[in-house]
Amino acid sequence: MEYHDPDAGQEVAERAREFVENEVIPVEREWLGHESIPDSVIDDLRETAREYEVYGPQIPEEYGGLGLDFRAMLPVFEEAGRSLLGGLAMRCAAPDEGNMHTLEIVGTEEQQKRWLAPLAAGEMNSGFCMTEPMQGGGSDPKMLSTTAEKEGDEWVIDGHKWWTTGGADADVFLVMARTDPDAHPYEGASIVLVPRDTDGVEVVRDIPHLGGEPVGSSHSEVKFDGARVPVENTLGPENAGFAVAQKRLGPARLTHCMRFGGMADRALDIATAYASERESFGEPIAEKQALRFRVARSRTRLHAARTMIRHAADDIAAGKEARIGVAMAKVFTANVVQEAVDEAVQICGGNGIGKDLPLADFYENVRAFRIIDGADEVHLRSIAREAFAEPKLDELENVTRFGQ
């Protein structure tokens, strides 16, 4: 399909497609069925990504990236998402992509020098500490319980986080903490940069979870017990943590959609190829009308999702919040991608659940998409609130009411 993406994005996307097909997927095939790929393999792919001029499509040029704007980078992220290794190799995978974006838009010059530069170069990793165990903050951020109290020129942080993606390898954490307990729940929190080696920081464990192979992604439980960092480590304005988080999460939700859209596209490519070769009852199964219609429906829904993503991305690129557009794109795309991957697994039968193909890993990894960066139910709640905000009661003018 032709999506009329910006020329700069299309040019890089073409190179990214070549890079993923020629360099990333062959490495992926070597490591299918393994729990984790060594860092050295990812480092080698990143060097090759630089040679192809596709490294850091969203990273500012001054930090070694391509400096594409939000709309132009969209098709590039889709190409990266065709392999679970693509985003890592091109340095546009979560959570570092979103954390770098946050440092770029609200970080001080010193913060950018200390953390953004090495993150962009792939010399450092990061984690975003927002979600807390029951009964802490999660889908309802007003329940945020981690605190940061100011003592002199330091924050003293106490709290308990979990599901910190990339936490096992993170060198620095972006920690959401309550900094003004008397303020409105949406106004009394801040994001604080906390180096991993700070006294009082404990990465308790990598939570066993569905998915993660073969890239070895982690979701960590992290505790803060009197962890002290300078007040100058506050990322963005003090007590504006939720506003800063929204600047991060809105675009991050869409970049997830972009990458997972690439995954669904490749999954359907694999299913189509398999169906064209696999014979049953005297002919390729691709000749079965029911199967063809299933693929057609998945392709149609994926096209709709990719169009929604572009609509929301256009609004964000124009400086709009696009809260409802992003929510709709995120919840719809998450379900469309999950269904497409599931169809691909079913079509490929035993080869779908085996790990000679990437579909089983796609299947395990895609399930988290309906939860991360806001569960379906949270986004549907926002969409419903908007839908019911101003009911058109005049449409009921002719309804007969009791006693009339």
Side-chain angles (χ1 to χ4, degrees):
M1 300 297 294
E2 174 57 55
Y3 292 104
H4 309 291
D5 295 316
D7 290 343
Q10 292 187 59
E11 292 171 6
V12 179
E14 290 175 6
R15 298 200 300 270
R17 169 70 71 118
E18 182 181 353
F19 169 67
V20 170
E21 292 291 334
N22 295 345
E23 308 293 341
V24 176
I25 290 177
V27 173
E28 172 201 87
R29 288 174 180 150
E30 291 179 20
W31 289 94
L32 287 172
H34 292 73
E35 290 185 1
S36 181
I37 296 175
D39 291 342
S40 59
V41 174
I42 301 300
D43 290 340
D44 289 344
L45 283 174
R46 286 177 177 169
E47 284 305 310
T48 307
R50 290 184 173 94
E51 295 171 8
Y52 274 79
E53 297 182 354
V54 295
Y55 182 87
Q58 82 291 357
I59 295 172
E61 291 184 69
E62 63 185 294
Y63 293 107
L66 303 181
L68 295 180
D69 64 31
F70 193 74
R71 187 59 183 81
M73 76 188 198
L74 194 163
V76 186
F77 275 48
E78 288 180 331
E79 296 299 336
R82 289 177 62 82
S83 169
L84 290 169
L85 305 185
L88 290 173
M90 293 169 57
R91 201 51 172 155
C92 60
D96 289 321
E97 177 262 318
N99 292 338
M100 285 189 285
H101 175 66
T102 308
L103 279 160
E104 179 188 349
I105 59 174
V106 299
T108 65
E109 183 176 347
E110 179 58 33
Q111 289 170 348
Q112 291 173 351
K113 180 180 178 180
R114 181 176 177 184
W115 286 296
L116 177 55
L119 280 169
E123 299 168 355
M124 179 182 286
N125 298 306
S126 61
F128 190 70
C129 289
M130 185 169 185
T131 305
E132 299 170 340
M134 295 195 301
Q135 298 288 341
S139 294
D140 183 356
K142 296 191 300 296
M143 296 174 67
L144 182 71
S145 299
T146 296
T147 61
E149 295 186 9
K150 192 178 293 184
E151 291 188 5
D153 59 357
E154 291 184 322
W155 288 118
V156 182
I157 303 172
D158 292 285
H160 190 183
K161 301 290 187 177
W162 82 325
W163 218 253
T164 297
T165 303
D169 301 311
D171 299 291
V172 63
F173 296 107
L174 281 67
V175 181
M176 178 75 80
R178 184 76 59 194
T179 47
D180 184 352
D182 298 322
H184 186 281
Y186 286 133
E187 297 176 354
S190 304
I191 297 177
V192 182
L193 291 154
V194 181
R196 181 197 187 94
D197 59 4
T198 302
D199 289 341
V201 176
E202 178 189 5
V203 179
V204 178
R205 60 173 179 149
D206 177 15
I207 303 165
H209 60 278
L210 178 69
E213 299 176 4
V215 297
S217 64
S218 66
H219 300 292
S220 299
E221 179 181 1
V222 186
K223 290 185 176 180
F224 301 88
D225 183 10
R228 291 178 174 268
V229 297
V231 170
E232 64 191 32
N233 282 22
T234 307
L235 183 57
E238 186 175 322
N239 293 328
F242 285 116
V244 173
Q246 280 304 114
K247 292 180 180 180
R248 178 192 188 277
L249 291 173
R253 286 166 180 145
L254 281 187
T255 56
H256 271 303
C257 291
M258 299 169 196
R259 290 186 295 262
F260 275 106
M263 173 193 285
D265 185 55
R266 183 169 171 225
L268 293 172
D269 282 349
I270 293 169
T272 303
Y274 185 85
S276 299
E277 184 173 324
R278 178 72 165 101
E279 293 188 0
S280 181
F281 303 104
E283 64 180 354
I285 62 174
E287 297 304 315
K288 310 298 182 184
Q289 187 180 66
L291 183 149
R292 296 174 75 89
F293 282 5
R294 284 158 57 193
V295 172
R297 290 190 181 97
S298 289
R299 281 290 179 194
T300 300
R301 285 169 58 78
L302 180 58
H303 170 56
R306 295 173 76 178
T307 301
M308 289 178 69
I309 295 165
R310 282 163 169 79
H311 178 267
D314 283 339
D315 282 348
I316 286 182
K320 301 176 183 178
E321 184 180 3
R323 183 173 56 88
I324 298 302
V326 169
M328 288 179 170
K330 201 277 184 183
V331 71
F332 185 72
T333 304
N335 284 270
V336 165
V337 174
Q338 179 178 298
E339 292 164 10
V341 172
D342 185 74
E343 287 283 20
V345 169
Q346 187 71 20
I347 288 169
C348 293
N351 279 298
I353 59 177
K355 294 206 171 182
D356 291 338
L357 295 174
L359 295 176
D361 287 324
F362 284 1
Y363 189 86
E364 293 175 5
N365 281 274
V366 74
R367 187 58 185 85
F369 187 25
R370 291 182 54 204
I371 297 172
I372 56 176
D373 278 353
D376 286 359
E377 293 79 6
V378 174
H379 294 297
L380 289 170
R381 180 174 179 266
S382 298
I383 296 166
R385 186 191 302 121
E386 182 82 2
F388 283 90
E390 297 181 3
K392 296 185 180 299
L393 300 179
D394 59 340
E395 294 289 354
L396 306 180
E397 184 176 336
N398 287 347
V399 171
T400 300
R401 291 172 170 80
F402 185 85
Q404 288 183 344

